[in-house]
Amino acid sequence: MAFKFKVREGKNPKTGQAMFYAQADKVNPVSIYDFAEEIAHSTTVTEADVKAVITEFEVRLMKHFQNNESVRLESVGSFCPRMWSTAARLPEEFTKANLKRIAVRFTPAASIKYSLRAENPAMVFERIVEEE
């Protein structure tokens, strides 16, 4: 397996000159069922048990986010809620209507960051050449 990418033309933000950059190819999602099956085949845990744990993980993440807490999985990374809002001129003018969205930022653990680096000899890349 390889990380697939395409080469796309873009502009250098500093010079405005046309340059070519890597862009990840379409990323295909893996379903919870396929993910659970993969884990079950490489462990002594059943597929149903894996799916149950992943489903409960999602429930627990939401509980902690609603309590303004981040969740750190040492060998995976951290999940941290982030908030965006519009500004108010005065603190007393700020209301719930100013809140625009809440999202989750994932910060990978150091081992995952390293495994995805281009310098990692185990990381394989495949350039996709589009036909014209």
Side-chain angles (χ1 to χ4, degrees):
M1 291 262 216
F3 190 92
K4 296 178 181 179
F5 70 97
K6 296 176 182 176
V7 176
R8 295 274 192 225
E9 185 174 2
K11 289 190 178 184
N12 181 312
K14 293 182 181 177
T15 66
Q17 182 181 5
M19 302 292 284
F20 292 87
Y21 300 91
Q23 178 183 27
D25 194 28
K26 182 179 78 171
V27 177
N28 297 315
V30 176
S31 74
I32 189 173
Y33 304 103
D34 292 337
F35 195 59
E37 182 180 17
E38 288 175 8
I39 293 171
H41 283 300
S42 62
T43 66
T44 59
V45 182
T46 69
E47 186 177 334
D49 289 339
V50 173
K51 186 178 177 307
V53 169
I54 293 171
T55 301
E56 187 61 20
F57 175 71
E58 179 183 350
V59 170
R60 294 294 147 194
L61 271 178
M62 291 307 303
K63 175 187 170 283
H64 289 289
F65 294 159
Q66 290 168 351
N67 288 323
N68 200 36
E69 299 170 330
S70 65
V71 175
R72 178 176 295 161
L73 304 176
E74 302 305 328
S75 60
V76 175
S78 297
F79 300 86
C80 186
R82 295 288 182 229
M83 178 182 285
W84 284 263
S85 70
T86 57
R89 290 184 311 126
L90 300 168
E92 53 273 5
E93 292 177 354
F94 194 94
T95 67
K96 186 177 179 180
N98 292 86
L99 302 177
K100 290 302 170 195
R101 71 180 177 110
I102 297 175
V104 176
R105 183 178 74 191
F106 171 69
T107 305
S111 60
I112 291 178
K113 285 181 185 178
Y114 173 75
S115 68
L116 294 175
R117 292 182 63 143
E119 299 85 23
N120 178 359
M123 189 68 179
V124 178
F125 296 93
E126 178 183 338
R127 180 177 174 178
I128 305 299
V129 179
E130 295 179 321
E131 297 180 21
E132 294 184 34

